[in-house]
């Protein structure tokens, strides 16, 4: 009996060591004001929070910056990969566990300041062309709702500049796009682009998500750590 107990203790210890030794690869993107790349170093309040969660969970992380669509496709097929921030929908829940909310952001339809397109519902926007970020939550939502005129780009910055270049009538972006203008563009884009319609249909919660192939014990550790930090 003592040998069985000792064997169980050793097995649990080894399992813990194996889990802790694994490095989890995290994909994110630059979101000025929240996630920023300073040389080769990631910084910002969201980065600090994610690292705090992993430290609390006693897990190792390796954070990388990639375009959103590439990150999503890579992470959904492999274990020990996580993506943040990510919005939740039924399609993504097939591939990811959503550990917890990191922050909340509103979504808007933007148009050129000189334009006077007025809509009262999102449905009315179907007759206009809309610049979107390929495979992000807004692209997926509008595609599900059968919006016919979606023009896809690799990130929000490209989508907004396409709007300015008159390649579409609207660009659908998270409100934090305005931080990008302030950081990366010398010209004040507030004179060129304006908020046109608040898209309340798209939930603003942004999560830390991890691929479903990952060891459930790792996912549990992260969820517990995040709950403790959010208290």
């Amino acid at each position: 009996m003592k040998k069985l107990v000792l064997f169980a203790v050793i097995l649990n210890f080894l399992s813990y060591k194996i889990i802790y030794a694994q490095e989890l690869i995290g994909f994110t993107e630059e979101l000025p004001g929240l996630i920023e790349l300073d040389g080769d170093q990631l910084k910002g309040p969201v980065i600090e929070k994610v690292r705090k969660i992993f430290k609390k969970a006693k897990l190792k992380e390796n954070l990388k910056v990639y375009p959103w669509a590439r990150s999503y496709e890579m992470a959904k097929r492999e274990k020990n990969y996580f993506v943040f921030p990510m919005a939740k929908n039924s399609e993504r829940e097939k591939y990811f566990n959503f550990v917890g909310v990191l922050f909340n952001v509103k979504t808007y339809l933007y148009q050129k300041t000189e334009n006077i397109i007025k809509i009262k519902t999102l449905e009315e926007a179907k007759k206009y062309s809309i610049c979107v970020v390929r495979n992000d939550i807004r692209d997926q939502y509008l595609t599900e709702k059968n919006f016919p005129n979606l023009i896809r780009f690799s990130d929000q910055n490209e989508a907004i500049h396409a709007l300015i270049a008159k390649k579409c009538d609207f660009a659908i972006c998270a409100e934090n796009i305005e931080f990008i203008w302030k950081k990366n563009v010398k010209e004040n884009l507030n004179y060129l682009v304006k908020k046109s319609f608040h898209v309340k249909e798209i939930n603003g919660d942004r999560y830390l998500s991890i691929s479903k192939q990952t060891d459930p014990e790792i996912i549990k550790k992260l969820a517990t750590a995040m709950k403790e930090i959010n208290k």
Side-chain angles (χ1 to χ4, degrees), residues 134-178:
R134 185 178 295 106
N135 211 25
D136 82 348
I137 189 67
R138 291 162 284 271
D139 180 16
Q140 291 179 349
Y141 182 84
L142 296 182
T143 299
E144 288 174 2
K145 298 300 179 182
N146 298 313
F147 275 68
N149 301 310
L150 302 180
I151 305 170
R152 294 176 171 86
F153 297 88
S154 63
D155 58 40
Q156 292 189 106
N157 202 24
E158 285 190 9
I160 284 291
H161 279 87
L163 173 65
I164 294 169
K166 299 182 180 181
K167 293 181 180 179
C168 54
D169 299 307
F170 290 108
I172 186 167
C173 295
E175 189 175 21
N176 63 291
I177 185 65
E178 296 172 27

Side-chain angles (χ1 to χ4, degrees), residues 165-207:
K166 299 182 180 181
K167 293 181 180 179
C168 54
D169 299 307
F170 290 108
I172 186 167
C173 295
E175 189 175 21
N176 63 291
I177 185 65
E178 296 172 27
F179 286 102
I180 296 176
W181 303 346
K182 294 175 184 177
K183 181 181 179 183
N184 296 334
V185 183
K186 293 181 180 179
E187 187 175 11
N188 187 347
L189 294 190
N190 285 315
Y191 292 105
L192 299 173
V193 175
K194 65 183 178 182
K195 290 174 181 171
S196 180
F197 183 79
H198 181 197
V199 185
K200 296 180 181 179
E201 291 88 342
I202 297 178
N203 190 297
D205 288 340
R206 296 295 181 266
Y207 290 79

